[in-house]
Amino acid sequence: MRKKGLLIVVSGPSGAGKGTVCREWLSRNPETELSISVTTRSPRPTEVEGKNYFFRSRQEFENMIERNEFLEYAKVYDNYYGTPRRYVQQKLMEGRDVILEIDIQGALKVKERFDEGVFIFIVPPTMEELRKRIVKRGTENPEVIIKRFNCAFEEINFIKRYNYVVVNDKVEEAVRKMEAIVLAEKCRVDRNSELIMKLQGGI
Ligand code: 5GP
């Protein structure tokens, strides 16, 4: 029986720690595939082409839009970010689970087309903690920090469009919750219709 993989979409405000949670998830669940996005933003000092993102010029990104190469794309903080379509589709067909760590606009676009995905929203324990984390990260200038914090307030309003909320207080705990979510999703009756049909057929 060929099983399709699960599409796991993770969003949350900047500073909620979704990157850290996803990294920890991947180290504990190495069979899961992380979709590497394409962006027009400049790399941060520690970022590596093809590992964190595929860094492309605006022109190259627009060409990719024209060629319909994105599952979704969005403009986030003045830069484009997009999920390459082919990689995600291929891995899901191979039966692999795929994580998309994308912003809310992108997640909602994916949800419109792909409602069978699992949509998880990562939040900080408090907004004060979020502010501290954004400042502590220190990779952005003060203007960007304020912009991101204000965005975070607006973003929390979209939580109702997601299936699950995970508080990231301790990373370990957050990952454990994600594992529980994914396991439960895989046991859902509507995801196991082939198995059920076989049982009904006496096989
Ligand atoms: P950062 O610049 O901090 O790496 O990411 C900024 C925001 O863009 C984050 O919320 C991140 O989840 C989101 N993002 C990263 N890749 C994608 C993508 O492919 N599509 C969309 N819609 N958002 C993305």
Side-chain angles (χ1 to χ4, degrees):
M1 194 190 314
R2 263 179 66 90
K3 278 208 69 139
K4 254 187 89 181
L6 194 65
L7 184 68
I8 307 160
V9 181
V10 179
S11 308
S14 177
K18 55 190 187 297
T20 315
V21 171
C22 286
R23 267 197 306 279
E24 183 60 23
W25 164 277
L26 290 164
S27 71
R28 284 173 56 151
N29 301 276
E31 72 289 355
T32 308
E33 302 282 345
L34 175 72
S35 161
I36 309 294
S37 299
V38 181
T39 183
T40 60
R41 145 165 106 54
S42 316
R44 295 182 184 133
T46 57
E47 287 180 331
V48 177
E49 162 74 15
K51 182 165 176 271
N52 302 91
Y53 284 105
F54 297 107
F55 297 97
R56 294 291 178 268
S57 68
R58 186 164 284 243
Q59 184 60 56
E60 284 170 315
F61 197 100
E62 284 168 358
N63 292 344
M64 290 180 76
I65 297 174
E66 293 229 324
R67 294 196 298 265
N68 196 24
E69 288 181 24
F70 292 115
L71 183 64
E72 64 72 35
Y73 68 91
K75 208 170 179 193
V76 190
Y77 316 122
D78 304 327
N79 280 300
Y80 279 122
Y81 294 79
T83 305
R85 177 196 301 280
R86 199 189 301 163
Y87 177 84
V88 175
Q89 285 178 339
Q90 191 185 321
K91 293 296 166 191
L92 291 176
M93 289 306 291
E94 286 170 13
R96 311 281 294 226
D97 298 339
V98 179
I99 291 199
L100 306 186
E101 187 211 318
I102 61 177
D103 90 311
I104 293 161
Q105 308 166 65
L108 296 183
K109 280 186 216 160
V110 175
K111 196 159 186 254
E112 274 171 26
R113 288 182 219 157
F114 207 93
D115 198 35
E116 67 265 39
V118 183
F119 295 81
I120 303 175
F121 200 92
I122 309 255
V123 292
T126 62
M127 291 309 275
E128 176 53 21
E129 174 62 23
L130 183 84
R131 196 186 59 79
K132 279 191 202 151
R133 289 183 193 172
I134 296 177
V135 172
K136 201 168 138 202
R137 191 193 269 172
T139 49
E140 265 78 33
N141 64 48
E143 200 185 310
V144 174
I145 289 173
I146 292 168
K147 205 168 167 181
R148 291 197 166 199
F149 187 63
N150 289 338
C151 266
F153 263 105
E154 288 173 26
E155 286 175 351
I156 299 278
N157 293 326
F158 286 93
I159 207 159
K160 291 201 178 101
R161 308 282 293 276
Y162 286 72
N163 306 120
Y164 297 94
V165 57
V166 169
V167 178
N168 178 25
D169 193 352
K170 293 200 176 78
V171 177
E172 280 265 311
E173 250 325 87
V175 173
R176 228 170 48 79
K177 286 178 194 160
M178 266 180 68
E179 284 169 344
I181 291 167
V182 168
L183 195 59
E185 281 290 330
K186 288 187 176 182
C187 294
R188 275 173 54 157
V189 170
D190 57 0
R191 289 194 198 278
N192 286 281
S193 43
E194 266 186 61
L195 166 74
I196 293 164
M197 264 159 55
K198 272 191 160 187
L199 293 174
Q200 284 172 331
I203 302 168

